[in-house]
Amino acid sequence: MSLVELELVTIISERFLKDDILKMIEERGSKGHTITDVEGEGSRGIRASEWEGKNVKIETIVNKETANKIIDEISELYFENYAVIVYSKTVRVVRGDKYI
Amino acid sequence: MSLVELELVTIISERFLKDDILKMIEERGSKGHTITDVEGEGSRGIRASEWEGKNVKIETIVNKETANKIIDEISELYFENYAVIVYSKTVRVVRGDKYI
Amino acid sequence: MSLVELELVTIISERFLKDDILKMIEERGSKGHTITDVEGEGSRGIRASEWEGKNVKIETIVNKETANKIIDEISELYFENYAVIVYSKTVRVVRGDKYI
Amino acid sequence: MDTIITNLTSPVVMAFVMGIMVKAIKSDLEFPQVLYKSISIYLLVAIGLKGGVELSKTPFSEFILPASATIFMGIITPIIAFVIIRYLGKVDLDNSAGVAAHYGSVSMVTFLASISYLQTEGLEPEGFMPTLLALLEIPGIIVALMIPLLQKSSNSSFGKAMHEVVTGGSIVLLLGGLIIGFIAGPVKFQSIEPFFVNGFQGALFLFLLELGMVTARRFRDLKKVGFFIVAFGILVPILHGFLAILIGFWSGLSLAGTVVFATMVSSASYIAAPAAVRIALPKASPTIYLTASLGITFPFNITIGIPLYYAISLWIGG
Amino acid sequence: MDTIITNLTSPVVMAFVMGIMVKAIKSDLEFPQVLYKSISIYLLVAIGLKGGVELSKTPFSEFILPASATIFMGIITPIIAFVIIRYLGKVDLDNSAGVAAHYGSVSMVTFLASISYLQTEGLEPEGFMPTLLALLEIPGIIVALMIPLLQKSSNSSFGKAMHEVVTGGSIVLLLGGLIIGFIAGPVKFQSIEPFFVNGFQGALFLFLLELGMVTARRFRDLKKVGFFIVAFGILVPILHGFLAILIGFWSGLSLAGTVVFATMVSSASYIAAPAAVRIALPKASPTIYLTASLGITFPFNITIGIPLYYAISLWIGG
Amino acid sequence: MDTIITNLTSPVVMAFVMGIMVKAIKSDLEFPQVLYKSISIYLLVAIGLKGGVELSKTPFSEFILPASATIFMGIITPIIAFVIIRYLGKVDLDNSAGVAAHYGSVSMVTFLASISYLQTEGLEPEGFMPTLLALLEIPGIIVALMIPLLQKSSNSSFGKAMHEVVTGGSIVLLLGGLIIGFIAGPVKFQSIEPFFVNGFQGALFLFLLELGMVTARRFRDLKKVGFFIVAFGILVPILHGFLAILIGFWSGLSLAGTVVFATMVSSASYIAAPAAVRIALPKASPTIYLTASLGITFPFNITIGIPLYYAISLWIGG
Ligand SMILES: Nc1ncnc2c1ncn2[C@@H]1O[C@H](COP(=O)(O)O)[C@@H](O)[C@H]1O
Ligand SMILES: Nc1ncnc2c1ncn2[C@@H]1O[C@H](COP(=O)(O)O)[C@@H](O)[C@H]1O
Ligand SMILES: Nc1ncnc2c1ncn2[C@@H]1O[C@H](COP(=O)(O)O)[C@@H](O)[C@H]1O
Ligand code: NA
Ligand code: NA
Ligand code: NA
């Protein structure tokens, strides 16, 4: 199997931003994503409420260009006001065409 | 502490394949694994049922050779019919001998 | 956006070590962390009880130096007696200063 | 018409409609998946236990004909469904068999809704109906999954699917409950009765609220599956229900028992069948079989089907 | 004093205190988040259903004045709260409006605690109180979120916040339950009554145990928010409660109804408001508004506030 | 023999057997971990509350002897268990102390099963038994964990383990419930009684179903631990149970109370002890102590032990 190098972009954010972020990454070219419920603490500490539930971690495998677009967008839209972080790393994927 | 470079192979799949995949990776030489409940969407969309529950993410740290075997096997057995993706990246691990 | 390379250190351990480990990584210089409930199997197999719940995965983004300190500490304190593993990989992060 | 309104204003049916509305107005309300699963477990065990206790009071002679009728319907309904979808709908083999497996099996919640409905009409079906529910859950799936086996070369995952069918969570809970209820009998059952009987309708209310939300999500796929599947999802249940009414009366069931029997037979599985079909027929599309069973037949039966089967039963056998 | 002790020894209040103690001794006890959410869903649906059933028995004429009084209080309390915190406390615009939204809305559990309390005193408030609870949940949040709109240029996320307010999980469950209860009426409600009525106080007990633990975590932030917010969190509820007692009696509510009304009005939201404020006013700090509503006002009302409103009501209108 | 069959056909014991069967046929049924934890919380609070209410009705003089007997058994049973496993079994120090901690403490579910059993036999133990349960939970663990301290040099994590023992989730819920029940007394308890009393046996049923599945998983480790541990897991409970029967009667407990007392004493902890042992004795293997307590003693007591202690009690003191 030939492996292709792609970017795995990870976004961790307050739960109520989930739908917003998913819509955004889809518009920027993501073909799929995986969501995990996580808990976390960072520079802001407190979350809005117990009812809302935990943070979410959104992972999406995309090409370099899309990755940059997503990272830029997250930085612009959410960094100032919300508890959200984003990072990316290179992974080796089978059937790379599926993700582009 | 001396760190060893090994492969972290990640498999995301429908929940009902879990036991199958775990058996397979063990046979290929994996000495351990970590499972996370995740949700996801990809090119196929729909999952089989609410009752079954969410997708699973299976992560296993193995050497390069085992990683390739696992990736090949997943591609052959499941790619055609099931919602499953696999990717791998290099990580630095303490006590590398534990995983080989 | 300028991306900075940092280390993402991942620790997987029995649940009851969670608070201990969080305290330790904070003392070593971690500015935040993300926790995921996971299940797992490794060389030791059995976990202490159903009541305690599953394993936890603790992820923290830190600089190289802090990463090494955390990895050393984990190896020294927990490797002998508890079910715990630790590994690290390099990720590209926006707003790198936030984590140092 | 009147009976439909009675049905639509029963709390559990309104809960279902509420669930659909919640999604229609794009509320962010989410039911924890664990709550859904926990209530399923509770309902299945409760049905099993009550059925087992009732069965322990039923003479074998009274039970044998309805049981045979159930197995008979479990064998013919998947064949009818298969023939219609394969030859009238020109759907491919795997998808046809996949859908047939769903319509050959049964939906627990539809079954419960019919009992609720009859109780508000002042009727009480036979106590052993849950046993029939358990009997009807499996054969239809087996029959449907055997069809492609006969038409194609061998299928390596058939055995695995059979294991799944027979040991699947829903059947294990239902059967386990039945056996325990049967052995315990009415006296020993008393200690656990408040939990499993008094709370039952309320738990069902919450479950239908959640199922409404799940169904609403399926509605989005209606246009994907096309007109034929939509028509199929309404007309085949009516056909199966009609046959079941005839067979039900013939087997000696009461009016109420016949209505429940018809509802059961007409309903389509969305727990046991999807799991087995996913294994045995991986090429069959969940979009088709789940949209049909959960997006069309389930809401149809819950709202219109049940009062319809009641009206037909009254007309034929009342 | 006596009434405070009666209140403090009621099981649900003791559960709350127990929750605080559990955290104080650093126990590792954790309530699964899903259990918390599941009990919330149950309580909201149950309140809605019971309120709807009662409403179906209430003549419109009896209900119209209390309803108007509720909406009136929903409009003025956030304005009062805003003025005090903005001009007396010199807190910035966003944080002031954020806190005001919480004090304009309502806390379901405080409402329930007041009913429990009155029942141990042998009093029964009007059956339609849950309808007032639903009416009071929304307007205060809208009013508070509109204040910054008037003072600042346009805010793009106001519309989104309004959608959240009106379709948020808590209001949807409460209103959905109300409507179903209203349509079903007392007879059809009977089937689900054991689940939603008999289990209610016990579920509330567990919920308050968990809320005690949540509150204890908030206590850590008390020093961060400063003395003004602490005083605000105690005195504003008393002020609001006092006004509500006057308006409550005026609108024709009974003694018990007035106490519940005053408790409701004085309480601060911690489900609906935080979600909306997070969206509309992202710069407002959760540490301030959640510490005030959950760390100060909630425990104050649960322990001292309710018997206090009772004492004042007795004195004014008894 | 007869009493064993009565026991084996009680619903809760059958639920346990069903859980074992579910795993034996390799069903994919899984109980959500959250459901397991939620039911645990419910059961512990319920036992505590009921025990507290009963205690508030018991004169101190009636209670003092059984309480002393309980603490006495809590001190000697871990010592007996330790001596047997260390010197007869030649097991190393840490594992011996780890196992001893489990047999010095108590299993809530075994306790409950004995009460269920007696009720089907028409007997009612003293109402304050849950207080004895709480008293027995802690001392045995402390005694067992102190043994290695005496034999080895100092252990840095002993203090941490003590904190865990005293503030662990199970003891906090049980004691908190006891105190609240005691303060509330029978009248104030009424409001929450339906939830905590009527639903109790049914919740226990589901819990034992899950525990059966957990136990079945432990069975796989039976061969790993060897014959000595298996024999230990059966004979030591019988020995402890026998001693407890003598002490129980001596302390003035009724026949039913003595049987419950013996069951309690003979049972091995699987919630409080594992957590503490994991901290204080990290080198002790969970495979050994959990297989012994959960894989051997628990199923033995649930099925054969309880009727055995009943038979012995009848014979000695009936
Ligand atoms: N250094 C870090 N390493 C890992 N996760 C982090 C880190 N900092 C923040 N997070 C995650 O990002 C969320 C938002 O962070 P913040 O905006 O700093 O409150 C936190 O709740 C954590 O889940
Ligand atoms: N581009 C992607 N990035 C991250 N996860 C993905 C991606 N595509 C698919 N997945 C995950 O893999 C599962 C199966 O994908 P698929 O077979 O495309 O339906 C999805 O449910 C997701 O959890
Ligand atoms: N090779 C591996 N790959 C991924 N996760 C592992 C691996 N080995 C161990 N783990 C995780 O680390 C935990 C402790 O491992 P151990 O100490 O070997 O029992 C396990 O429960 C797994 O969650
Ligand atoms: Na059917
Ligand atoms: Na208010
Ligand atoms: Na013991």
Side-chain angles (χ1 to χ4, degrees):
Chain A
M1 277 282 147
S2 70
L3 297 172
V4 184
E5 299 223 325
L6 288 168
E7 289 297 299
L8 173 64
V9 179
T10 304
I11 303 155
I12 299 172
S13 87
E14 301 181 59
R15 193 176 188 83
F16 86 95
L17 296 176
K18 188 179 80 174
D19 293 335
D20 262 29
I21 293 177
L22 291 181
K23 216 177 115 202
M24 186 275 281
I25 65 173
E26 211 182 299
E27 285 167 10
R28 295 292 165 281
S30 153
K31 294 276 177 297
H33 59 258
T34 298
I35 302 171
T36 315
D37 286 343
V38 297
E39 265 169 286
E41 240 172 83
S43 47
R44 298 170 167 263
I46 219 166
R47 259 332 74 77
S49 92
E50 296 289 307
W51 166 267
E52 260 180 53
K54 309 197 278 184
N55 284 359
V56 287
K57 178 203 267 189
I58 299 172
E59 291 171 305
T60 181
I61 297 175
V62 291
N63 61 28
K64 192 106 203 169
E65 202 194 347
T66 309
N68 286 336
K69 275 197 241 162
I70 289 174
I71 291 173
D72 282 358
E73 199 74 17
I74 294 276
S75 319
E76 255 170 58
L77 287 180
Y78 304 110
F79 264 20
E80 203 188 334
N81 293 321
Y82 299 107
V84 46
I85 67 170
V86 57
Y87 56 86
S88 113
K89 59 202 163 206
T90 309
V91 294
R92 282 175 294 282
V93 189
V94 196
R95 275 201 321 184
D97 51 318
K98 184 173 176 225
Y99 305 96
I100 323 178
Chain B
M1 276 281 148
S2 72
L3 296 172
V4 183
E5 299 224 324
L6 288 169
E7 289 296 298
L8 173 63
V9 179
T10 305
I11 303 156
I12 299 172
S13 87
E14 302 180 58
R15 192 173 188 85
F16 85 95
L17 295 176
K18 189 179 79 173
D19 293 335
D20 262 29
I21 294 177
L22 291 181
K23 218 179 114 200
M24 187 275 282
I25 65 174
E26 211 182 300
E27 284 167 10
R28 294 292 165 281
S30 153
K31 294 275 177 298
H33 59 258
T34 297
I35 302 172
T36 315
D37 287 342
V38 298
E39 264 170 287
E41 239 172 84
S43 47
R44 298 168 168 265
I46 218 166
R47 258 333 72 80
S49 93
E50 297 288 308
W51 166 268
E52 261 180 52
K54 308 197 278 184
N55 285 357
V56 288
K57 178 203 265 188
I58 298 171
E59 291 171 304
T60 181
I61 298 175
V62 291
N63 62 26
K64 193 105 203 171
E65 201 193 349
T66 308
N68 286 336
K69 275 197 241 161
I70 290 174
I71 292 173
D72 283 357
E73 197 74 16
I74 295 274
S75 319
E76 255 170 58
L77 287 181
Y78 303 110
F79 265 19
E80 204 188 332
N81 294 320
Y82 298 106
V84 46
I85 67 171
V86 57
Y87 55 86
S88 112
K89 59 204 165 204
T90 308
V91 295
R92 281 176 294 282
V93 188
V94 195
R95 272 202 323 184
D97 50 318
K98 184 174 176 226
Y99 306 95
I100 324 177
Chain C
M1 276 285 148
S2 71
L3 296 172
V4 184
E5 299 223 325
L6 288 168
E7 290 296 298
L8 173 64
V9 179
T10 304
I11 303 155
I12 299 172
S13 87
E14 301 179 59
R15 192 174 188 85
F16 86 94
L17 296 176
K18 189 179 80 173
D19 293 334
D20 261 30
I21 293 177
L22 291 181
K23 216 179 115 201
M24 186 274 283
I25 65 174
E26 210 182 299
E27 285 167 11
R28 294 293 164 283
S30 153
K31 293 276 177 297
H33 59 258
T34 297
I35 302 172
T36 315
D37 286 343
V38 298
E39 264 169 286
E41 239 172 84
S43 47
R44 299 170 167 263
I46 218 166
R47 261 328 75 79
S49 93
E50 296 289 307
W51 166 266
E52 261 181 52
K54 308 198 278 184
N55 284 359
V56 287
K57 179 204 266 188
I58 298 172
E59 291 171 305
T60 181
I61 297 175
V62 292
N63 62 25
K64 193 104 203 170
E65 201 194 348
T66 310
N68 287 336
K69 274 196 242 160
I70 290 174
I71 292 172
D72 283 356
E73 198 74 16
I74 295 277
S75 320
E76 255 170 59
L77 287 181
Y78 303 110
F79 265 19
E80 203 187 334
N81 294 320
Y82 299 106
V84 45
I85 67 171
V86 57
Y87 55 87
S88 112
K89 60 204 165 205
T90 308
V91 295
R92 282 176 293 283
V93 188
V94 196
R95 274 202 322 183
D97 50 318
K98 184 174 177 226
Y99 304 97
I100 325 177
Chain D
M1 203 56 227
D2 226 41
T3 56
I4 291 181
I5 286 169
T6 312
N7 186 42
L8 284 178
T9 58
S10 92
V12 291
V13 174
M14 286 195 283
F16 180 70
V17 175
M18 173 177 160
I20 292 175
M21 307 292 274
V22 163
K23 284 293 155 194
I25 61 168
K26 294 193 197 307
S27 165
D28 65 352
L29 177 65
E30 278 180 42
F31 259 56
Q33 210 261 336
V34 169
L35 179 58
Y36 177 87
K37 182 125 193 187
S38 301
I39 301 183
S40 306
I41 291 173
Y42 167 83
L43 293 176
L44 285 162
V45 172
I47 298 171
L49 286 170
K50 284 185 288 181
V53 170
E54 292 300 328
L55 196 63
S56 73
K57 299 191 276 186
T58 311
F60 184 68
S61 60
E62 220 173 84
F63 174 66
I64 180 71
L65 268 185
S68 312
T70 303
I71 290 172
F72 175 71
M73 294 309 290
I75 294 170
I76 67 157
T77 52
I79 297 176
I80 296 173
F82 179 80
V83 168
I84 292 175
I85 197 166
R86 181 93 178 93
Y87 300 107
L88 234 72
K90 311 230 172 296
V91 171
D92 67 80
L93 179 61
D94 282 14
N95 275 309
S96 300
V99 172
H102 288 70
Y103 285 83
S105 183
V106 70
S107 147
M108 160 188 72
V109 180
T110 315
F111 166 84
L112 293 175
S114 71
I115 294 184
S116 284
Y117 172 74
L118 290 167
Q119 283 168 345
T120 60
E121 295 282 338
L123 295 168
E124 194 66 50
E126 280 81 350
F128 57 70
M129 296 311 291
T131 318
L132 304 187
L133 178 76
L135 282 178
L136 191 55
E137 189 148 12
I138 294 179
I141 302 177
I142 298 179
V143 169
L145 296 185
M146 271 167 59
I147 298 173
L149 270 194
L150 300 176
Q151 305 208 358
K152 281 199 292 194
S153 62
S154 81
N155 180 334
S156 62
S157 50
F158 181 77
K160 222 181 122 194
M162 283 304 101
H163 181 261
E164 170 65 34
V165 174
V166 179
T167 68
S170 60
I171 196 71
V172 160
L173 289 169
L174 197 52
L175 264 184
L178 263 172
I179 295 171
I180 293 180
F182 187 82
I183 299 177
V187 174
K188 288 198 167 178
F189 180 57
Q190 274 167 18
S191 65
I192 56 174
E193 189 163 356
F195 184 77
F196 286 112
V197 173
N198 298 351
F200 193 82
Q201 291 295 325
L204 183 60
F205 182 96
L206 286 186
F207 196 71
L208 272 161
L209 177 51
E210 160 70 3
L211 263 184
M213 293 194 268
V214 173
T215 301
R217 261 175 259 142
R218 293 285 166 202
F219 282 169
R220 281 184 256 155
D221 290 322
L222 280 186
K223 52 182 179 299
K224 278 195 216 163
V225 300
F227 176 74
F228 178 78
I229 293 291
V230 177
F232 177 93
I234 292 173
L235 297 177
V236 165
I238 298 180
L239 174 61
H240 286 174
F242 184 75
L243 292 176
I245 290 169
L246 301 179
I247 305 278
F249 278 129
W250 166 86
S251 76
L253 286 172
S254 69
L255 173 64
T258 301
V259 176
V260 173
F261 185 65
T263 306
M264 250 166 66
V265 169
S266 75
S267 74
S269 164
Y270 52 88
I271 294 183
V277 170
R278 199 81 194 92
I279 294 170
L281 304 170
K283 285 189 200 312
S285 157
T287 308
I288 297 180
Y289 54 69
L290 281 177
T291 306
S293 67
L294 200 52
I296 303 163
T297 300
F298 180 63
F300 169 75
N301 266 340
I302 289 284
T303 53
I304 301 172
I306 295 171
L308 182 68
Y309 309 138
Y310 179 49
I312 299 177
S313 302
L314 267 180
W315 174 63
I316 290 184
Chain E
M1 203 55 227
D2 226 38
T3 58
I4 291 182
I5 286 169
T6 313
N7 187 42
L8 284 178
T9 58
S10 90
V12 293
V13 174
M14 285 195 281
F16 179 71
V17 175
M18 172 177 160
I20 292 175
M21 306 292 273
V22 163
K23 284 294 155 194
I25 62 168
K26 293 193 197 311
S27 165
D28 65 352
L29 177 66
E30 279 180 41
F31 259 56
Q33 209 261 337
V34 168
L35 179 59
Y36 177 86
K37 182 125 192 185
S38 301
I39 300 182
S40 305
I41 291 173
Y42 167 84
L43 293 175
L44 286 161
V45 172
I47 298 172
L49 286 170
K50 283 185 289 182
V53 170
E54 292 299 328
L55 196 64
S56 73
K57 300 190 276 186
T58 310
F60 184 70
S61 60
E62 220 172 84
F63 174 67
I64 180 70
L65 268 185
S68 313
T70 303
I71 290 171
F72 175 72
M73 292 309 290
I75 293 170
I76 66 156
T77 52
I79 297 175
I80 297 173
F82 178 81
V83 168
I84 292 175
I85 195 165
R86 181 93 177 93
Y87 300 107
L88 235 71
K90 312 232 173 296
V91 171
D92 67 81
L93 179 61
D94 282 14
N95 275 310
S96 300
V99 172
H102 287 71
Y103 285 82
S105 183
V106 71
S107 147
M108 161 188 72
V109 180
T110 314
F111 167 84
L112 293 175
S114 71
I115 294 185
S116 284
Y117 172 74
L118 290 166
Q119 282 167 346
T120 60
E121 295 282 338
L123 295 168
E124 193 67 49
E126 281 81 351
F128 57 70
M129 297 310 292
T131 317
L132 304 188
L133 178 77
L135 281 177
L136 190 56
E137 188 147 14
I138 294 179
I141 302 178
I142 298 180
V143 169
L145 297 185
M146 273 168 58
I147 298 172
L149 271 194
L150 301 175
Q151 305 207 359
K152 282 200 293 194
S153 62
S154 81
N155 179 335
S156 63
S157 51
F158 180 77
K160 221 181 121 194
M162 283 304 102
H163 181 261
E164 170 64 35
V165 173
V166 180
T167 68
S170 60
I171 195 72
V172 160
L173 289 169
L174 196 52
L175 264 185
L178 262 171
I179 295 171
I180 293 180
F182 187 81
I183 299 176
V187 175
K188 290 198 165 179
F189 180 57
Q190 274 166 16
S191 65
I192 55 174
E193 189 164 356
F195 184 78
F196 286 111
V197 174
N198 297 352
F200 193 82
Q201 291 295 325
L204 183 61
F205 182 96
L206 286 186
F207 196 71
L208 272 162
L209 176 51
E210 160 70 2
L211 262 183
M213 293 194 269
V214 173
T215 301
R217 261 175 261 140
R218 294 285 165 204
F219 283 168
R220 281 184 257 153
D221 291 321
L222 281 186
K223 53 183 178 298
K224 279 195 215 163
V225 299
F227 176 74
F228 178 78
I229 293 291
V230 176
F232 177 93
I234 292 173
L235 297 177
V236 165
I238 297 179
L239 174 62
H240 286 174
F242 184 75
L243 292 176
I245 290 169
L246 300 178
I247 306 277
F249 279 129
W250 166 87
S251 76
L253 285 173
S254 68
L255 173 64
T258 300
V259 176
V260 174
F261 185 66
T263 306
M264 250 165 66
V265 168
S266 75
S267 74
S269 163
Y270 53 88
I271 294 184
V277 169
R278 199 80 194 91
I279 294 170
L281 303 170
K283 286 190 200 310
S285 156
T287 307
I288 297 179
Y289 53 70
L290 282 177
T291 305
S293 67
L294 200 52
I296 303 162
T297 301
F298 180 65
F300 169 74
N301 267 339
I302 289 282
T303 53
I304 301 172
I306 295 171
L308 182 68
Y309 309 137
Y310 179 51
I312 299 178
S313 302
L314 267 179
W315 173 63
I316 290 185
Chain F
M1 203 56 226
D2 225 40
T3 57
I4 291 182
I5 286 170
T6 312
N7 186 42
L8 283 177
T9 57
S10 91
V12 292
V13 174
M14 285 196 282
F16 179 70
V17 175
M18 173 177 160
I20 292 175
M21 306 291 274
V22 163
K23 283 294 156 195
I25 62 168
K26 294 193 198 310
S27 166
D28 65 352
L29 177 66
E30 279 180 40
F31 259 55
Q33 209 262 335
V34 168
L35 179 59
Y36 177 86
K37 183 124 192 187
S38 301
I39 300 183
S40 306
I41 291 174
Y42 167 84
L43 293 176
L44 286 161
V45 173
I47 298 172
L49 286 170
K50 283 185 290 181
V53 170
E54 292 299 328
L55 196 63
S56 74
K57 300 190 276 186
T58 310
F60 184 69
S61 59
E62 222 172 82
F63 173 68
I64 181 71
L65 269 186
S68 312
T70 303
I71 291 172
F72 175 71
M73 293 309 288
I75 294 170
I76 66 155
T77 52
I79 298 175
I80 297 173
F82 178 82
V83 168
I84 292 175
I85 197 165
R86 181 92 178 93
Y87 299 107
L88 234 71
K90 312 231 173 296
V91 171
D92 66 81
L93 178 63
D94 282 14
N95 275 309
S96 300
V99 171
H102 287 71
Y103 285 82
S105 184
V106 70
S107 147
M108 161 189 74
V109 180
T110 314
F111 167 83
L112 293 174
S114 72
I115 294 184
S116 284
Y117 171 74
L118 291 166
Q119 282 168 345
T120 60
E121 296 281 338
L123 295 168
E124 194 66 52
E126 280 81 350
F128 57 71
M129 296 310 293
T131 317
L132 303 188
L133 179 76
L135 282 179
L136 190 56
E137 189 148 13
I138 294 180
I141 303 178
I142 298 180
V143 169
L145 296 185
M146 272 168 58
I147 298 173
L149 271 195
L150 300 176
Q151 306 208 357
K152 281 199 293 194
S153 62
S154 82
N155 179 335
S156 62
S157 49
F158 180 77
K160 221 181 122 195
M162 283 304 101
H163 181 261
E164 169 64 34
V165 173
V166 180
T167 69
S170 59
I171 196 71
V172 160
L173 289 169
L174 196 54
L175 263 185
L178 262 172
I179 295 170
I180 293 179
F182 186 82
I183 299 177
V187 175
K188 289 199 167 179
F189 180 57
Q190 274 166 17
S191 65
I192 56 175
E193 188 164 357
F195 184 78
F196 286 112
V197 174
N198 298 350
F200 193 82
Q201 290 295 325
L204 183 60
F205 182 95
L206 286 187
F207 196 72
L208 272 161
L209 177 52
E210 160 70 2
L211 262 185
M213 294 195 268
V214 173
T215 302
R217 261 175 261 142
R218 293 286 167 202
F219 282 169
R220 280 185 257 155
D221 290 322
L222 281 187
K223 53 183 177 299
K224 278 194 216 163
V225 299
F227 176 75
F228 178 80
I229 293 292
V230 177
F232 177 92
I234 292 173
L235 297 178
V236 165
I238 297 179
L239 173 62
H240 286 174
F242 184 76
L243 292 177
I245 289 169
L246 301 179
I247 305 278
F249 278 129
W250 166 86
S251 76
L253 286 173
S254 68
L255 172 65
T258 300
V259 176
V260 174
F261 185 66
T263 307
M264 251 166 66
V265 169
S266 75
S267 73
S269 163
Y270 53 88
I271 294 184
V277 170
R278 199 80 193 92
I279 294 170
L281 303 169
K283 285 189 200 312
S285 157
T287 308
I288 297 179
Y289 54 70
L290 282 176
T291 305
S293 68
L294 201 52
I296 303 162
T297 301
F298 180 64
F300 169 74
N301 267 339
I302 290 282
T303 53
I304 300 172
I306 295 172
L308 182 69
Y309 309 137
Y310 179 50
I312 300 176
S313 301
L314 267 179
W315 174 62
I316 291 183

